[in-house]
């Protein structure tokens, strides 16, 4: 790394600053808008300097985990690097769940942690933790600053690493004495964020031409091809290229959980999402396909089910920017290591127009058969159903809202029954499945996209994990609309207990506060919905009411997500409604 200020002759623009001021200068140069964090002893010098940098808006969360989730949500919504900060010891360890969440879902983030002074490191000092050792497996890179001259180049490099290639979180740990020391910062030695981004955009990972040829030859011989689009399409903003390729080659499109909103779901080529809770016709299409173009996805276990029986007839064209994903789960006939947008653009240009309508009609016949057999859900009419709630949100927002979900049954209902037509409008914790994600992540989303309607959808279990962030939302005057699907259970765990543990509901019934009183205590608006015919008015009131609003919906206690693939089963072997009623 280049060490600014270490030369004999310094530029006229160089200034002697404290280590903490150098951190702030570097963050300003990187274009940082928000820092989500919580102060403490080992990072106090940074907070002392921060008050002199009004361009850096610090958001005081109520728990450091929420800081990492808020930075994550901001990054996913804007495509910029999210930033969070915490002190040493418990402050740093409280960031860990959010860093792991971002790492699994490839979110660009930079976390700055304070550390005890260098003379105390390794002596079990007060609030000392080896945060580098803890976070190495769940970050793209972790740095510990050893000299003040390292601060600026390390911060700038951290941002470059976070957003380049396959994005991910990076941690920078700074001992307190280095924050307090003095050194030189020369801003002319570093590119601005805009310059760096422009340079990175000009040199994306390009596909090898011979692999594009192989992919086109494979598609030309296919009778039952399809596309599986994952999060990489969203990360590379390849919406236009995916649509152009799918339409020209007449390829049905399946979008993974994290790939939802990468392709418009009202498009005639869209089939749904795959895997454990995907519709039967989409999973059956995977089982019958002879060629699959997998773009920006990991082929994780919730998508594949039993790997040996996943896509048994298909040869796979796998496009991913991360070479380590190639052949990790399924052997790729054509492994294309490249940026998804550039690869799809090349495929769209090279592929010959095709007609696969016969194959699409076959898939639609399976869909009709499945829907006639199971209907749209046997919901207890005494309660508002998740479909009613989601449909009303979409109707009243015109499909333009950004939906942030927590983890559980409500997440799967949202994924299955909300129609995603706006690019990058679905934000959720996929790989790690982190309960407590939605509320703070939605805060980050709304702050990054202030002109958009942002809805956090959670269950009564997950919402209680970071519900204290209602105070942050109120303090920051950030208006997020929150829907709680309250069934009095840890719903997804209860469903598994129903299906696989003879209804032994061990520790899944859960109580909660009176959410209307809680909303009032935090100074936000609370609405309770207990009947289907109350849903529309409640959503309308939430939209019309300024500020954050909680809409608590009392739903059927033992409602299940259908269909479902049992763990270890093939995705074509699905439990449908009524099959596990006892």
């Amino acid at each position: 790394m280049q060490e600014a200020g270490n030369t004999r002759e310094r530029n006229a623009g160089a200034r002697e600053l404290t280590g903490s001021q150098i951190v702030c200068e570097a963050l300003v140069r990187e274009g940082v808008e928000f820092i989500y964090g919580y102060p403490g002893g080992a990072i106090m010098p940074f907070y002392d300097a921060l008050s002199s940098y009004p361009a850096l808006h610090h958001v005081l969360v109520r728990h450091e985990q929420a800081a990492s989730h808020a930075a994550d949500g901001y990054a996913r919504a804007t495509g910029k690097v999210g930033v969070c900060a915490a002190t040493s010891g418990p402050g740093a360890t409280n960031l860990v769940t959010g860093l792991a969440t971002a790492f699994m879902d490839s979110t660009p983030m930079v976390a700055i942690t304070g550390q005890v002074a260098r003379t105390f490191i390794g002596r079990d000092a007060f609030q000392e933790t080896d945060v580098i050792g803890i976070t190495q497996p769940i970050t793209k890179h972790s740095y510990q600053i050893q000299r003040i001259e390292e601060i600026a180049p390390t911060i700038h490099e951290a941002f470059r690493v976070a957003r380049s290639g396959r994005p991910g979180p990076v941690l920078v740990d700074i001992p307190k004495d280095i924050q307090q020391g003095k050194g030189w910062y020369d801003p002319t030695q570093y590119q601005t964020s805009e310059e760096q981004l422009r340079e990175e955009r000009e040199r994306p990972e390009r596909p090898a031409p011979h692999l594009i040829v192989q992919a086109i030859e494979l598609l030309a011989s296919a009778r039952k091809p399809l596309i599986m689009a994952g999060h990489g399409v969203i990360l590379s903003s390849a919406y236009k290229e995916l649509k152009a390729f799918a339409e020209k080659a007449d390829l049905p499109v399946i979008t993974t959980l994290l790939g939802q909103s990468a392709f418009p779901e009202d498009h005639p080529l869209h089939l749904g999402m795959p895997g454990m809770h995907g519709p039967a016709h989409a999973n059956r299409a995977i089982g019958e396909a002879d060629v699959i173009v997998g773009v920006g996805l990991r082929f994780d276990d919730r998508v594949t089910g039993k790997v040996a029986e996943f896509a048994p007839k298909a040869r796979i064209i796998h496009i991913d920017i991360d070479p380590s994903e190639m052949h990790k789960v399924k052997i790729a006939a054509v492994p294309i290591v490249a940026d998804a947008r550039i690869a799809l653009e090349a495929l769209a240009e090279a592929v010959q127009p095709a007609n696969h309508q016969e194959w699409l009609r076959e898939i639609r016949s399976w869909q009709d058969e499945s829907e006639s057999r199971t209907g749209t859900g046997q919901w207890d009419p005494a309660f508002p159903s998740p479909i009613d709630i989601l449909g009303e949100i979409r109707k009243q927002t015109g499909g333009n809202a950004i939906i942030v979900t927590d983890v559980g049954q409500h997440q799967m209902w949202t994924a299955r029954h909300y129609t995603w037509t706006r690019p990058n409008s679905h934000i959720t914790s996929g790989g790690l499945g982190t309960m407590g994600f939605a509320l703070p992540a939605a805060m980050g989303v709304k702050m990054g996209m202030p002109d958009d309607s942002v809805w956090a959808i959670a269950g009564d279990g997950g919402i209680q994990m970071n519900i204290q962030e209602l105070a942050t939302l109120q303090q920051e005057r950030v208006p997020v609309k929150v829907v709680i699907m309250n069934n009095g259970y840890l719903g997804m765990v209860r469903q598994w207990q129903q299906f696989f543990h003879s209804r032994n509901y061990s520790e899944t019934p859960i109580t909660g506060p009176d959410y209307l009183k809680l909303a009032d205590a935090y100074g936000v608006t609370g609405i309770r919905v207990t009947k289907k015919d109350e849903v529309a008015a409640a959503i309308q009131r939430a939209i019309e009411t300024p500020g954050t609003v909680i809409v608590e919906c009392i739903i059927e206690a033992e409602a299940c997500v259908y269909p479902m693939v049992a763990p270890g089963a093939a995705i074509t072997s699905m439990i449908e409604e009524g099959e596990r009623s006892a």
Side-chain angles (χ1 to χ4, degrees):
M1 292 181 295
Q2 184 184 24
E3 295 185 359
N6 215 25
T7 57
R8 290 185 180 180
E9 294 184 8
R10 298 187 181 93
N11 292 325
R15 290 181 293 157
E16 190 177 29
L17 303 169
T18 67
S20 293
Q21 289 173 323
I22 293 172
V23 174
C24 292
E25 292 280 346
L27 294 177
V28 169
R29 194 158 186 82
E30 286 293 340
V32 173
E33 296 177 288
F34 302 107
I35 302 170
Y36 300 92
Y38 204 95
I43 200 167
M44 204 174 298
F46 169 72
Y47 275 85
D48 183 57
L50 189 61
S51 62
S52 299
Y53 289 85
L56 301 173
H57 181 159
H58 183 270
V59 178
L60 179 63
V61 296
R62 300 317 191 250
H63 192 288
E64 292 93 347
Q65 181 183 341
S68 52
H69 290 328
D72 189 337
Y74 170 86
R76 295 195 203 210
T78 64
K80 302 175 184 177
V81 178
V83 179
C84 57
T87 193
S88 62
T93 59
N94 282 343
L95 293 178
V96 166
T97 297
L99 290 172
T101 301
F103 184 71
M104 290 287 280
D105 291 350
S106 303
T107 303
M109 282 172 50
V110 169
I112 298 170
T113 52
Q115 184 55 271
V116 299
R118 286 172 292 177
T119 53
F120 291 104
I121 292 175
R123 297 185 179 185
D124 294 330
F126 177 67
Q127 291 194 334
E128 180 194 356
T129 301
D130 180 8
V131 70
I132 300 298
I134 291 170
T135 60
Q136 276 183 333
I138 55 168
T139 56
K140 283 189 74 176
H141 199 79
S142 294
Y143 302 88
Q144 187 175 78
I145 304 295
Q146 296 298 327
R147 296 182 302 129
I148 196 166
E149 292 83 7
E150 296 174 1
I151 292 176
T154 301
I155 294 291
H156 291 299
E157 183 174 302
F159 277 80
R160 181 186 61 77
V161 171
R163 65 179 170 244
S164 64
R166 179 179 182 170
V170 177
L171 181 133
V172 182
D173 192 46
I174 312 176
K176 187 173 183 177
D177 61 313
I178 293 180
Q179 296 174 52
Q180 294 171 316
K182 285 199 169 184
W184 290 88
Y185 179 68
D186 182 358
T188 64
Q189 303 240 352
Y190 307 102
Q191 293 175 304
T192 65
S193 179
E194 292 79 7
E195 291 168 342
Q196 183 72 40
L197 287 170
R198 185 163 54 250
E199 182 180 297
E200 290 170 6
R201 279 194 294 266
E202 289 171 356
R203 48 178 174 79
E205 193 72 34
R206 296 183 178 278
H210 74 280
L211 294 176
I212 296 296
V213 171
Q214 290 179 23
I216 296 302
E217 289 174 350
L218 198 55
L219 284 168
S221 64
R223 291 183 57 253
K224 296 184 176 183
L226 57 81
I227 295 171
M228 292 182 66
H231 196 202
V233 175
I234 293 172
L235 291 170
S236 64
S237 297
Y239 313 107
K240 180 180 69 173
E241 291 77 12
L242 174 62
K243 189 168 179 282
F245 174 52
E247 290 178 343
K248 186 176 178 183
D250 201 28
L251 300 174
V253 178
I254 290 172
T255 44
T256 67
L257 176 65
L258 287 175
Q260 287 185 311
S261 73
F263 190 85
E265 295 194 358
D266 57 355
H267 194 286
L269 288 172
H270 188 263
L271 301 183
M273 80 173 190
M276 181 169 280
H277 294 292
H281 68 275
N283 283 341
R284 187 171 175 182
I286 293 170
E288 293 295 323
D290 56 6
V291 172
I292 292 177
V293 183
V295 189
L297 76 161
R298 298 181 291 115
F299 292 106
D300 70 280
D301 59 298
R302 290 296 174 98
V303 165
T304 63
K306 187 177 181 180
V307 175
E309 297 183 31
F310 175 80
K313 303 175 183 179
R315 300 188 71 189
I316 294 174
I317 301 165
H318 191 182
I319 301 168
D320 202 288
I321 201 165
D322 184 354
S324 71
E325 290 298 335
M326 295 301 162
H327 316 301
K328 188 167 76 175
V329 178
K330 295 290 291 185
I331 299 298
V334 185
I336 301 176
V337 178
D339 174 83
R341 181 176 57 83
I342 303 300
L344 286 168
E345 185 176 52
L347 287 172
E349 183 178 342
V351 75
Q352 293 298 310
N355 186 324
H356 296 293
Q357 288 301 299
E358 184 179 347
W359 162 229
L360 188 61
R361 282 192 294 271
E362 184 177 10
I363 298 171
R364 294 302 182 199
S365 71
W366 302 335
Q367 182 177 3
D368 293 342
E369 175 190 335
S370 176
E371 290 178 355
S372 65
R373 183 171 64 251
T374 63
T376 57
Q378 298 175 3
W379 305 97
D380 186 334
F383 299 94
S385 78
I387 294 178
D388 298 331
I389 299 161
L390 295 164
E392 201 59 46
I393 292 172
R394 191 178 193 285
K395 176 183 175 183
Q396 295 198 34
T397 62
N400 290 317
I402 301 175
I403 308 296
V404 186
T405 63
D406 217 86
V407 173
Q409 287 181 311
H410 68 277
Q411 179 191 34
M412 293 297 103
W413 282 321
T414 305
R416 287 277 285 107
H417 299 295
Y418 193 91
T419 303
W420 310 96
T421 52
R422 173 185 168 173
N424 197 23
S425 57
H426 176 230
I427 292 174
T428 194
S429 169
L432 199 66
T434 307
M435 293 176 67
F437 173 82
L439 189 63
M443 174 170 61
V445 171
K446 182 63 178 178
M447 294 184 80
M449 308 291 284
D451 297 329
D452 290 294
S453 174
V454 177
W455 290 72
I457 299 178
D460 50 319
I463 194 66
Q464 294 187 68
M465 289 191 171
N466 274 311
I467 201 163
Q468 75 284 339
E469 297 312 313
L470 288 172
T472 313
L473 287 163
Q474 180 65 352
Q475 179 175 328
E476 291 287 333
R477 297 292 187 264
V478 177
V480 170
K481 312 305 179 183
V482 183
V483 171
I484 302 172
M485 295 189 185
N486 189 348
N487 57 9
Y489 281 102
L490 300 176
M492 189 58 83
V493 184
R494 183 213 60 76
Q495 178 170 331
W496 280 51
Q497 289 172 332
Q498 175 184 332
F499 287 5
F500 311 119
H501 296 277
S502 304
R503 290 185 182 268
N504 179 19
Y505 296 161
S506 174
E507 300 304 320
T508 46
I510 186 171
T511 60
D514 181 324
Y515 289 103
L516 269 61
K517 291 181 179 177
L518 187 74
D520 185 60
Y522 277 113
V524 302
T525 302
I527 304 168
R528 179 173 291 126
V529 175
T530 61
K531 299 176 183 177
K532 180 176 180 176
D533 60 9
E534 297 172 347
V535 172
I539 299 303
Q540 181 178 355
R541 183 182 164 198
I543 292 171
E544 294 174 350
T545 301
T548 292
V549 178
I550 293 176
V551 183
E552 179 195 17
C553 298
I554 308 300
I555 66 170
E556 184 182 346
E558 294 191 45
C560 290
V561 179
Y562 291 105
M564 180 179 181
V565 176
I571 60 169
T572 50
S573 178
M574 310 192 76
I575 301 169
E576 296 190 288
E577 257 182 282
E579 294 181 22
R580 289 292 183 117
S581 59

